[in-house]
Amino acid sequence: MRVHQSSPSTLLRRNAFSHCRYCGELMEYFDRHDHGRIPMVPREFPSARFPVQMRWHVLRGIALPGDGGASHCYVPHPAFCAAVDHPESSNKLTHARAVFRHRFEKRVKQGFIPALRPSDEDEVAEQHVEPVGGLRHVVAYASVLWLAPGKIEDLQCVARAWGTGERCGNAVSHDEGEWKEIEIPYTPGRAGQDVLWSGATMWVYALHTLYPDEFRRWMQQRCSHHTGGAGMDNDALPPQWVRFRPLAHDKFILRERPVQAELSTLTDTPIASIFLEPERTVCATPDCHNGSVAKVPKGWLCYKCERVQEQRERIHRQWVRRND
């Protein structure tokens, strides 16, 4: 089986089916529009039965949000996995989830042994990724953060070598990115309010300068010799990328500058000290480019960052009072 040249997806359909290790249901995987993968219930349903946020359609092998104007759509398996505690929903969804739950209980009675209970739907969606140990770096592209399968310099191509049929030994990275310090993303909800990350930063490997096709090669976890999907056999294993989630991946956060990061040093020269415009002070928040030409104290924050700082301090005080 081959992947057609016009398809952005490299996922062979014969290998797209898998059984959920948490509930045992059959799932069908699709490549997502944002370079990830999503497991679907392996059949289409009338779109009117499901809320808009649960509807997906497939175009040229790629899963896209919404029903695409069609009367039928796909729905993600994690939204109905019996091993996950789902929030309250409509009667239609409650009935459908009850059916999945009944089938799961029947499967357990017949001898099925589920994996340890997942923490959320994201963990169910990422079960195609084999367990990865050791240090893992975080990669940034546009506004999305991805957790890499390991250290950037150790990323190995997952395609099969044409000569041996074994996994390719080439590296994915060719030093296209650079290390940047960013603020740890805010996590919504009660759990996000309880963490003490106020103003904390982390180091990520930024790939913002890559063209989309080149970034797709990174997400496919392939070297430059195995770019694209046309005329190639299936990968030796699926790409090991997962969406970065601060609470779940806290142990992989780099809070100190990595050795690989090279910070540019500015040389003081007489020319550099000549200002044709009023001297501008930049906000003290990392990655914030707001500034002021007025005289401001050291550590000055712009009005936006000051408002965020006040909100975080208020949440922190509430958290401290609750735990006293």
Side-chain angles (χ1 to χ4, degrees), residues 22-172:
Y22 301 110
C23 70
E25 286 287 340
L26 183 65
M27 309 177 298
E28 184 176 7
Y29 274 98
F30 288 93
D31 287 330
R32 289 172 54 119
H33 65 291
D34 56 2
H35 306 290
R37 282 185 175 175
I38 181 170
M40 302 284 192
V41 178
R43 55 164 291 193
E44 290 186 285
F45 297 90
S47 301
R49 294 184 182 179
F50 303 95
V52 176
Q53 62 270 22
M54 282 190 181
R55 302 176 192 174
W56 289 76
H57 69 285
V58 178
L59 179 63
R60 296 171 58 202
I62 300 296
L64 301 168
D67 55 21
S71 60
H72 285 67
C73 66
Y74 284 95
V75 292
H77 167 79
F80 298 92
C81 181
V84 179
D85 292 328
H86 302 286
E88 296 182 2
S89 56
S90 64
N91 292 333
K92 292 181 179 180
L93 291 182
T94 301
H95 175 73
R97 287 166 174 165
V99 172
F100 277 82
R101 182 70 186 177
H102 175 73
R103 290 161 56 172
F104 168 66
E105 294 173 351
K106 181 178 179 181
R107 199 174 290 115
V108 171
K109 291 179 180 179
Q110 294 174 347
F112 172 70
I113 301 177
L116 294 176
R117 193 179 185 87
S119 58
D120 51 27
E121 295 183 7
D122 289 330
E123 190 172 343
V124 176
E126 295 169 356
Q127 62 183 285
H128 67 282
V129 177
E130 297 182 4
V132 178
L135 179 63
R136 302 176 68 177
H137 288 155
V138 179
V139 167
Y141 184 74
S143 60
V144 182
L145 299 180
W146 295 89
L147 184 65
K151 296 188 291 186
I152 293 299
E153 59 270 21
D154 295 338
L155 294 185
Q156 181 183 351
C157 178
V158 298
R160 295 185 186 276
W162 290 312
T164 63
E166 301 295 330
R167 180 179 178 180
C168 174
N170 294 335
V172 174

Side-chain angles (χ1 to χ4, degrees), residues 176-197:
E176 300 98 325
E178 61 177 341
W179 288 96
K180 285 186 175 294
E181 187 177 15
I182 66 171
E183 189 170 340
I184 298 177
Y186 172 74
T187 302
R190 182 175 300 175
Q193 295 178 358
D194 288 342
V195 296
L196 303 180
W197 282 338

